[in-house]
Amino acid sequence: MTPIRVLIADDQVMVRQGFTVLLNAEPGIEVIGQAVDGLDVVAQVAELAPDVVLMDVRMPRLGGIEATRQLTEPAGATVKVLVLTTFDLDEYVYEALRAGASGFLLKDASAAELAQAVRVVAAGDALLAPNITKRLIAEFSRVTSSPRTPLKDRVGDLTERETEVLALIAQGLSNGEIAERLVVAEQTVKSHVGRILVKLGLRDRTQATVFAYETGLIRPAGY
């Protein structure tokens, strides 16, 4: 089995080395490089083609949010970005998700949590820490203006059932939970999710959740 190739981007050498040791001790994961800032990580991704980048938000020369955008925006981009953060950087996390990150992880995560986060993001089939991610998106979508593009214009190609599945994804439900809610087979839900991502041009479930909040399909509680 081919290992998940990881690139670690952080301006603190202790963080880079610590995560490298932890991940290299995990089966099926290989750290292939370390980057010291945003420009460095963009260059190394082009050279090394990792599967997952662990991205710090605050770095010199080019920050993690803009680096994430540069890595995920090009057509055909396949690298997944996992943002490293602390709770006091919630707003930066939300901006990183909007920029194309697939999830986030606290810097004090355990070795097991770190490895699981890398595997989840590499697979691209589930939100990372959906309860926390959903809270962040809800919190910061409250301060955004009205949806940048009318909902009907952006989800018009979705069927009624696909729109329903998208709303449930945004609420943090897994495929199994959605299947139970809608009384359908889990494989049917997987097919719906795949079509939703293709029709909307989204990379994964995290981006689908951001989309659902920003278009107004899902509104934060109390708003």
Side-chain angles (χ1 to χ4, degrees):
M1 181 178 177
T2 303
I4 299 170
R5 294 159 49 86
V6 178
L7 177 65
I8 299 172
D10 197 292
D11 61 340
Q12 298 182 43
V13 64
M14 293 290 288
V15 173
R16 297 196 306 271
Q17 292 179 349
F19 280 175
T20 296
V21 171
L22 291 175
L23 287 176
N24 278 338
E26 293 287 337
I29 298 177
E30 177 187 3
V31 176
I32 60 172
Q34 298 180 18
V36 300
D37 58 39
L39 292 180
D40 191 18
V41 69
V42 170
Q44 289 202 44
V45 166
E47 178 183 356
L48 301 175
D51 301 305
V52 176
V53 172
L54 294 187
M55 182 82 76
D56 188 23
V57 172
R58 291 181 171 179
M59 294 186 292
R61 297 205 300 168
L62 185 69
I65 294 174
E66 180 56 33
T68 296
R69 185 174 292 111
Q70 291 188 22
L71 293 178
T72 60
E73 276 191 350
T78 59
V79 65
K80 301 294 180 67
V81 176
L82 178 59
V83 174
L84 300 171
T85 187
T86 55
F87 274 123
D88 62 340
L89 291 179
D90 277 359
E91 186 170 2
Y92 292 98
V93 172
Y94 177 61
E95 290 302 319
L97 292 175
R98 290 182 63 185
S102 294
F104 71 94
L105 185 70
L106 299 177
K107 284 190 175 183
D108 61 358
S110 68
E113 290 170 336
L114 177 62
Q116 177 63 11
V118 168
R119 292 188 178 103
V120 167
V121 169
D125 60 0
L127 278 171
L128 176 63
N131 59 320
I132 301 175
T133 301
K134 185 175 67 171
R135 178 180 61 79
L136 285 171
I137 294 170
E139 177 69 23
F140 291 99
S141 62
R142 289 173 181 168
V143 300
T144 61
S145 57
S146 57
R148 289 174 292 178
T149 305
L151 175 62
K152 65 180 186 301
D153 293 342
R154 300 196 67 186
V155 302
D157 290 337
L158 298 184
T159 65
E160 183 177 348
R161 177 46 62 89
E162 287 167 352
T163 302
E164 188 175 12
V165 169
L166 174 58
L168 294 173
I169 291 172
Q171 293 173 48
L173 273 65
S174 67
N175 284 350
E177 291 167 334
I178 294 173
E180 184 176 349
R181 178 78 63 88
L182 300 180
V183 195
V184 297
E186 187 170 346
Q187 184 58 45
T188 300
V189 175
K190 289 183 68 175
S191 297
H192 284 314
V193 173
R195 287 195 293 270
I196 290 167
L197 297 180
V198 170
K199 287 183 178 182
L200 299 179
L202 303 172
R203 291 166 53 83
D204 53 31
R205 296 169 77 96
T206 304
Q207 298 308 302
T209 299
V210 173
F211 175 93
Y213 275 101
E214 291 199 329
T215 57
L217 179 63
I218 295 292
R219 298 304 303 166
Y223 284 75

